[in-house]
Amino acid sequence: MNAFLPSGTLSTGANYWASHAGIHMWRDWRPEVIDADFTRLSGLGLDVLRVFPLWPDFQPIHSLQKWRGLFVEHRHGELPLGADDADVGEDGVSREMLRRFGVLADLAHKHGISLIVGLITGWMSGRHFVPPALEHLNPVTDASSIQWQVRLIRALVVHHRDQPAIRAWDLGNECNCLGPATREQAWLWTATLANTIRASDATRPVISGMHSLKVDPAGPWSIRDQGELTDMLTTHPYALFTPHCDREPLNTMRPLLHAAAETCLYADLSGKPAIVEEFGTLGPMICGDDAAAAMARVRIFDAWTHDARAALWWCAHDQTHLDYAPYDWLPLERELGLLREDGSPKPAALAFKETRAAIASLPEKTLPPRRIDAVCLLTQGQDQWGAAYTAFILAKQAGFDLRFHYCDRSLPEADLYLMPSVKDHTPLPRRIEKQLWAKVAAGATLYLSLDDCTLGDYVANTGVKIATRARRTAPCRFAFANANFEIITPVAYDFTLPPSAEVFAREADGHPVFFKTTHGRGAIYSLLAPLETVLANQNGAFLPGTVLPFWRFYTTIAETALAQRIVRKESPWLGVTEHAHADGTVTVIIVNYADREITDHLRLLPGCVFSTALLGPAPEIAAASLTLKLSAATAAVWTLSS
């Protein structure tokens, strides 16, 4: 299998429909327009395009019936499939469309562009596109429809597998939108198509192409099932369509971190690489050009630092001149391009070019993985995305990095485990509970924020003696980190702590709400409020200058991990990743997730010294302290040595 999008590298690109025709590009075929498009796109430094053979154009089959609608055969118009004078073969695939696709692939190769091919393009921009003979069928579950999809894939892959521009086969565009399915049906559809691709071409990876996958493996279209069946997962992180992501402006911290958080979640839970296959603003009613450019810069840096490997904008061109469905249905599908209708680049396009060129100019061409300090354990019964997303952001604000893990598999080794917003009365299987408490007893630290839940062995292993519990009639109010907090919390406990407990915050009645206890050689930090899922549902929770210091809970629980970081920051609006090299040097990447310039004072681990500013501003150095001024939505890349 070819080494497409290897770890530690970054490709940038776009999702492509020809500038003159959008979804009608295959029937309104103008290769000279495509050639000009590719000239402009490659000139922006884009090296990957995702392209779409529209299903009914490439497999234009009709169903012919007789008396009382009884089916007789499939044809292309009036011509039998595979007839000598027919364009369409017995597989229902148009030979002319295959030739046209070959021309597109040749043009991509000419311009140094790699292609990801979305094979089943039956859902696009809010409209279904299915061959006439199959329109009444569920494409995911109907055996006849799947049969024709297999034939289409086999024809496309076999016909074009020698094209050097094609680097990966994508199952199709968001095919989990094609029709309802159970977990088993979705698994079988995915396995059938993925295996068809591999049987036809074993040299290229199979990319999922799905979006909005689920954490819980028991449901359909789960992260785990796609990881089992494909070689690379995909995220399509649009704030407007993803829960909890559009609660602040698009150029501020929470929306900016959406792509990194979701892509890390997919990669961690699947065990496969994940790429940012689509992202964008969804048009000028969402944000202006400057905010779009800021978002593009940050997400490209985040894709690089979090090993997402590729960042592809949706889409290459505006489609304001097109008046057929879906463009006449949906205004937000018309102005999504990097390039305007006249071919001129938008600020986001220039941000792509400049950021990609800056990263490519660095001497180290392969970035080592970022340092991971903690495992975030997601549990049954909770808002898993809300808990994961907020934990990711709070860890960034506190100054450390985490990886995600789901509760039904053996725990990876870690010094710090986070269980955010634990909910329900079966959050963990018993075998995982035992593993978790054993790791704490052996010296690990565990952080728990509690919703309405039952957690096995909590009382025995923390020493907390619970007398009673009841539903709350008022929010949980307490002071912590020089601020007054109010968190909606479902349950109140009447309890006592062991004498050795350390209390960080109490309610007005004296009951502890945030405290530390010990178990064996380890520590348990308990927060009796579901901080993460409350913040996930709170508008404006991550805006500079207006919010409470929620991240201070995470700096408290991670004090040991933070003390071992090479760089320790103060500002919650900066994100710092550390990438250690074999020669002992460390690449440190600092990203400003705020919509304003940030000045911060950073401390170095004793024995470490600043070496070089590879990108962005150099710090002012005073002893072990570095002062950095970093403009909004930009990054600094430094090397440090010990």
Side-chain angles (χ1 to χ4, degrees), residues 408-462:
D408 65 342
R409 288 185 167 171
S410 293
L411 295 176
E413 291 298 325
D415 293 326
L416 174 61
Y417 296 93
L418 282 66
M419 290 179 62
S421 299
V422 183
K423 186 178 175 62
D424 200 53
H425 301 296
T426 56
L428 290 175
R430 183 59 174 157
R431 66 185 184 279
I432 305 300
E433 284 181 341
K434 290 181 177 180
Q435 288 181 21
L436 181 62
W437 293 119
K439 291 182 184 298
V440 174
T445 297
L446 171 64
Y447 160 75
L448 300 160
S449 62
L450 302 182
D451 201 322
D452 184 6
C453 69
T454 302
L455 187 62
D457 297 329
Y458 177 81
V459 169
N461 292 335
T462 61

Side-chain angles (χ1 to χ4, degrees), residues 139-150:
V140 180
T141 62
D142 182 83
S144 176
S145 181
I146 295 171
Q147 180 183 48
W148 287 104
Q149 291 171 62
V150 167

